[in-house]
Amino acid sequence: MLRFVGNRSLGLLCGRNVELWKGMERSIHSSPVVGKDLISGALDEVLAEEEEGDEKIEQVFEESKPVQDFSTAKRKNAKGSLWRYDCLIKLIRGKPLNESFDILKQAHKHRKAQVLHKLLWAARSAAEHNYSLDPDKLYIHSIRGSKGVHLTGRVIMHGRGRAGRKTRPRTHLYVTLKEMPDSMINRIQQWEEREVLWKEHMLSKVDDFA
């Protein structure tokens, strides 16, 4: 008797749950737009929160990122001796970058000048694209060379039964570019103005010497 009553009551409860579930399905299917609006609204809120978090992280990263005011480049084991490169390095050390390019174009050691030209151009590209520096205001802050790995493996035969060793010297090159300070820019402008005035003065005196 008790089991029958229990099973009957259990059946009644299951029937009520099925009716409730069917009623919920009817309400959902009868108004699908409302359900979609609720889901899309929740997704929009989550996406907006994620975007705000990403923006805050980017702002913190940009603020903490150090600003670099110089650019470097290096060339390892360039063909040629350190003495030959030093002859050109002495001509362009401390000069503006554009003026250094003109000096290297007129240099006698044209092969070594081409290597230095490529090195300076690589540093210039890094300064312009990576650190947003003005390429027209760059100058050679420091440039140096050091002895590289010399290749010494070949034997050269000399007269009278003697032999020597052939060496192929290599050189490491390092360059650092920076933007010119205002004092340096003013000094260059004053020098250019003096050159222009001197040329005008000499051209005016050409007729006197003719």
Side-chain angles (χ1 to χ4, degrees):
M1 187 68 182
L2 290 173
R3 182 180 295 177
F4 177 75
V5 172
N7 292 333
R8 186 178 180 182
S9 61
L10 183 62
L12 291 172
L13 289 173
C14 292
R16 289 178 183 177
N17 290 334
V18 171
E19 289 178 359
L20 289 173
W21 177 250
K22 289 182 179 179
M24 290 173 66
E25 285 184 349
R26 289 172 187 171
S27 63
I28 292 170
H29 289 298
S30 62
S31 60
V33 178
V34 176
K36 290 182 180 178
D37 292 340
L38 291 173
I39 294 170
S40 62
L43 289 174
D44 292 338
E45 291 179 358
V46 173
L47 292 174
E49 291 178 357
E50 290 181 354
E51 289 178 356
E52 290 178 358
D54 293 339
E55 290 177 357
K56 290 180 180 179
I57 292 171
E58 289 178 358
Q59 291 177 357
V60 172
F61 179 74
E62 290 178 356
E63 292 176 357
S64 61
K65 186 177 180 180
V67 179
Q68 186 170 331
D69 60 346
F70 64 92
S71 175
T72 60
K74 62 182 178 180
R75 171 69 185 274
K76 293 295 189 72
N77 293 321
K79 287 185 178 181
S81 63
L82 180 59
W83 175 83
R84 293 180 182 274
Y85 283 106
D86 275 340
C87 293
L88 297 174
I89 287 173
K90 292 176 182 177
L91 298 176
I92 62 175
R93 182 181 283 119
K95 298 290 183 65
L97 186 61
N98 296 329
E99 184 179 349
S100 301
F101 287 143
D102 296 335
I103 293 171
L104 292 175
K105 287 179 182 179
Q106 301 174 2
H108 295 290
K109 299 177 178 60
H110 60 280
R111 291 184 180 177
K112 307 301 179 287
Q114 288 178 0
V115 175
L116 288 174
H117 188 280
K118 292 179 181 178
L119 181 68
L120 294 175
W121 192 262
R124 178 188 181 277
S125 300
E128 182 179 2
H129 298 292
N130 298 343
Y131 309 114
S132 301
L133 301 177
D134 190 357
D136 295 330
K137 295 182 179 180
L138 294 175
Y139 79 103
I140 300 175
H141 178 70
S142 66
I143 182 170
R144 64 184 179 87
S146 62
K147 182 179 177 181
V149 180
H150 286 204
L151 303 178
T152 58
R154 297 179 63 183
V155 177
I156 300 177
M157 302 306 297
H158 298 291
R160 299 183 182 179
R162 293 177 297 178
R165 180 175 290 180
K166 184 176 181 179
T167 61
R168 294 181 179 181
R170 297 291 184 267
T171 306
H172 301 323
L173 300 171
Y174 307 91
V175 64
T176 303
L177 302 181
K178 282 188 176 183
E179 285 190 349
M180 291 185 289
D182 295 336
S183 59
M184 188 175 180
I185 295 173
N186 295 333
R187 188 168 64 252
I188 293 171
Q189 290 177 354
Q190 292 174 2
W191 180 81
E192 291 177 352
E193 291 175 358
R194 288 197 300 270
E195 287 291 319
V196 171
L197 293 174
W198 177 252
K199 288 180 180 179
E200 292 177 355
H201 174 70
M202 294 301 295
L203 291 174
S204 64
K205 297 294 182 179
V206 169
D207 297 334
D208 297 340
F209 293 102

